[in-house]
Amino acid sequence: MTHEPTSLLPVWARTPTTRRPKIRRHSHSATAVAGTMEEANNHRSSSSSSAGGRPFLSGFCAAALRRKPLGASVSTAASGEGLVRQLGALELVLLGIGASIGAGIFVVTGTVARDAGPGVTISFVLAGAACVLNALCYAELASRFPAVVGGAYLYTYAAFNELTAFLVFTQMMVDYHVSAASIARSLASYFIQFVELIPFLKGNIPNWIGHGEEFFGGVVSINILAPILLIILTAILCRGVKESSAVNTFMTTLKIVIVIVVVFAGVFEVDVSNWSPFMPNGFKAAVTGATVVFFAYVGFDAVANSAEEAKRPQRDLPIGILGSLVACVILYVAVCLVITGMVPYTLLGEDAPLAEAFAAKGLKFVSVLISIGAVAGLTTTLLVGLYVQSRLYLGLGRDGLLPSIFAKVHPTRHTPLHSQIWVGCVAAVLAGFFNVTMLSHILSVGTLTGYSVVSACVITLRWNDKATSRRSLGSMSIWQEGVLCLVIVALCGFVAGLCYRYNYSIAVIIVAFLIAVAASFTLQFRQVYVDPPGFSCPGVPMVPIISVFFNMLLFAQLHEEAWYRFVILSLIAVGLYAGYGQYNANPFGSDHTAIDYQRVASEDA
């Protein structure tokens, strides 16, 4: 039996000292706004007094455990100072596809096929199925939360606490910064290769222009074109979401058309005998390939971060998240079947397998299309990546965890101008002076961290308030018991992944799996769940639990240096929070009017 949720926060996490009159969730009156602003003012006064009156450690813990009340999420659109709702369902789908499919569709498909054979198709299907679990969790929270920027950071802030949200932000932001610089360098290199198709330019363009030229033993790598491309894309994003969405729509459509043309051109060259045996190295090779290609589906976080610019966020965000993922799965599988059917997988090249396969069949004109598609794919991936970064900085600036300059929105362009310029400058410096592709092995940490925490957020926010106020065994509350079970599931996934990676005894994997199952049953039968408004993830809590387990299993497959980066960056983030965030953060957001998400939905309708 389910009950209508009275709040999305557990009872023990709420900190009011006096009982206030209840405010109806869907009320449009000024009373609700006044109540929220009163709580915000009380928070500011208590924060200022605690900064000087309490010991540092107790003050730090009190600040770190703060949560963001969902009714206090800010929206400045009504005052004319916020972002503008201009993205429909189609634009959101294309946004997700643009963020996911880059040049990798022409490269990764072939390189993984060299190990998995035609079974690379199974690898992409498995990875896509795993990402569907994450996408369902994102879709529920995107539909359920206030239509403001923040994505995984916002969900974590409301479901867990302020410090955890800041840690998720830092892990994801490092991935975004380094990835943007790396993609910009790749785009510059592809662009030069495309230009060198002109005979008199081939071989006459210096490396420092587009390919990169190393100095001081490789510590510095100069690339002039990459920062120029970043400046152009940043200028487009600063113009407004309408202009940047138009560029993304055009480039993504071009990319999809090229992929479809390439697939249809290759279908007529397929030899079905090349598909036998379908998995020459066994099913394990296909599973290993799935862990590699999993990161080809990481675009739906960009859709979640566009909530404040979606026309009908409650309806369109789930469509954008799930629609873009399904489209990506179809495109990847089609390319995999074509490339492994055209050429025996043992003859596939490593650098440009798809282009080489068509060249071997005498279809060199397709190689030109692939180059164009690669440029278009990298452009949209970079454009969307810069877009997402600026919206995340905007969210933290509004909440006080970063300087307020990041919270400013241009009054006429309705874009976070300062945040956008900042992320463009960071990417330009990294891309112009450093060979950041060497850091690719420590990426994806932020992605898996965000995915795991978002899946856990779905579970914790479904717990019924009355149930979470009960006491568990000992002094532990039911809410704390549930969080402990989630941690156990995550650790079991990581241990199982380590055993799989290093070929440890299968018995250890079985034990880890059984412990995770026991924790899952505890979450299933010891907690009371409620049905959320809007889109609902099916199979809660089992679907999010499987998602957390698989994400942590993938986390164990990352390079060891990625684990070190996770720990070191987390410590740095804690230091930054202790020195700045805890004193300046305001869970109620800025001084703008607070509104409830359901009110936004009704207005957009």
Side-chain angles (χ1 to χ4, degrees), residues 99 102-103 175-190 226 229-230 233 377-383 385 431 436-437:
D175 275 12
Y176 275 124
H177 280 315
V178 177
S179 295
S182 179
I183 293 171
R185 291 181 73 97
S186 298
L187 178 59
S189 180
Y190 265 102
L229 295 174
L230 282 164
L233 293 180
L378 288 170
T379 301
T380 58
T381 304
L382 183 56
L383 182 74
V436 289
T437 54

Side-chain angles (χ1 to χ4, degrees), residues 107-121 123 277-293 340 344-350 353:
V107 179
V108 175
T109 49
T111 54
V112 177
R114 297 181 68 211
D115 297 322
V120 67
T121 306
S123 299
F278 197 74
M279 290 187 287
N281 297 320
F283 183 72
K284 183 176 181 180
V287 173
T288 303
T291 64
V292 176
V293 305
T340 55
Y345 75 96
T346 54
L347 301 180
L348 289 173
E350 185 172 354

